[in-house]
Amino acid sequence: MTRETAARHTSSALLDYYVLRAEADPGQPAGLLVEEFVLADDLSAARLRSAGWTPADGGWWSSAAYARAVRTEPRLRARLAAVDRADAEATYRRLGGGTLPGEQELRGHFQDDVPLATGAPLRLNAGPDVHRILFAGELDDGRLTRLGALLRLDDPDGARPGVVGTGRLRVNDTNVRWDLRRIGGGIAWCLDVTSEPAGGDALPWVLRQLVAVARGHGLVPATIERLS
């Protein structure tokens, strides 16, 4: 098992599923998109793997260009709706695909990966681990309110520019804090996740849960960076 795949299996065995909606009729499903971030040992994202399926194409396809475009083009992103596996299975069956393959078989359709920059972070001190989950997408007031409630965000103290709120959780002797921020002049979002002690076993699970909650409110994960 390679360094990357070992980290992937310890962090999560679940894929991310999206229903691809028809461009002419957003209320109608047109296919599926399945994705996975491969994580390095420090839990930064090393690669993005994705595959799509549409009945019109007659099978599964993998496109790094499409995965990048989803994160940069609002028009394409608007056609995606994050779902769980059960909903993906129902959509696949409804569109004539039959039984959705298992996750290991789906990984076999990942043929055109998106490499993500990784490298040793600039460590200024011996402080806690900080990971930044970057998201593409927009949040209107309603979605932001619902997301803030699920993330258990408190009110910002005004001392940190761009911070919408902060959530906290203690898991298996690890203290985890996350700050929801607007970045890029308000066109993107991130969650800065701090864990103490550094390297706690709970962090992979927490990162996965935070991504899942954000996906459910219209944000599309772009990468995970380790800041310190």
Side-chain angles (χ1 to χ4, degrees):
M1 186 175 288
T2 68
R3 177 174 179 271
E4 287 182 357
T5 54
R8 179 184 68 202
H9 285 283
T10 56
S11 61
S12 174
L14 299 176
L15 304 179
D16 291 335
Y17 297 90
Y18 299 87
V19 169
L20 177 62
R21 295 179 289 208
E23 187 169 15
D25 184 356
Q28 294 297 318
L32 293 177
L33 182 68
V34 182
E35 295 191 333
E36 176 181 49
F37 284 93
V38 179
L39 305 182
D41 289 344
D42 65 358
L43 301 183
S44 63
R47 287 182 289 144
L48 170 61
R49 316 189 73 198
S50 70
W53 175 86
T54 51
D57 292 315
W60 289 89
W61 45 266
S62 182
S63 170
Y66 183 82
R68 292 189 185 97
V70 161
R71 287 157 174 83
T72 58
E73 298 182 22
R75 180 183 61 82
L76 289 178
R77 195 163 54 246
R79 296 182 60 194
L80 296 183
V83 296
D84 59 18
R85 180 170 171 93
D87 287 336
E89 290 173 335
T91 300
Y92 190 72
R93 187 176 300 110
R94 175 183 172 186
L95 293 176
T99 300
L100 183 66
E103 296 204 331
Q104 196 57 37
E105 184 176 344
L106 286 175
R107 288 187 175 99
H109 297 297
F110 296 152
Q111 301 294 325
D112 189 14
D113 296 354
V114 179
L116 301 172
T118 58
L122 177 62
R123 182 172 288 277
L124 302 179
N125 52 51
D129 272 349
V130 180
H131 289 77
R132 170 167 287 181
I133 312 171
L134 290 168
F135 297 94
E138 302 78 32
L139 292 172
D140 58 25
D141 290 342
R143 281 185 171 181
L144 180 57
T145 297
R146 293 189 293 271
L147 178 59
L150 286 176
L151 291 176
R152 301 193 295 181
L153 301 182
D154 59 18
D155 293 329
D157 56 20
R160 291 171 294 165
V163 175
V164 174
T166 300
R168 296 173 178 83
L169 186 66
R170 182 173 176 83
V171 186
N172 298 340
D173 298 324
T174 300
N175 293 311
V176 186
R177 186 189 79 228
W178 50 89
D179 298 324
L180 179 64
R181 296 176 182 266
R182 288 187 178 94
I183 58 174
I187 63 172
W189 295 83
C190 74
L191 282 166
D192 286 345
V193 184
T194 303
S195 62
E196 294 184 272
D201 291 339
L203 183 58
W205 178 84
V206 172
L207 292 175
R208 176 69 190 179
Q209 297 306 307
L210 292 173
V211 167
V213 171
R215 286 180 63 243
H217 289 77
L219 297 180
V220 178
T223 191
I224 303 173
E225 300 173 340
R226 185 180 175 206
L227 303 183
S228 65

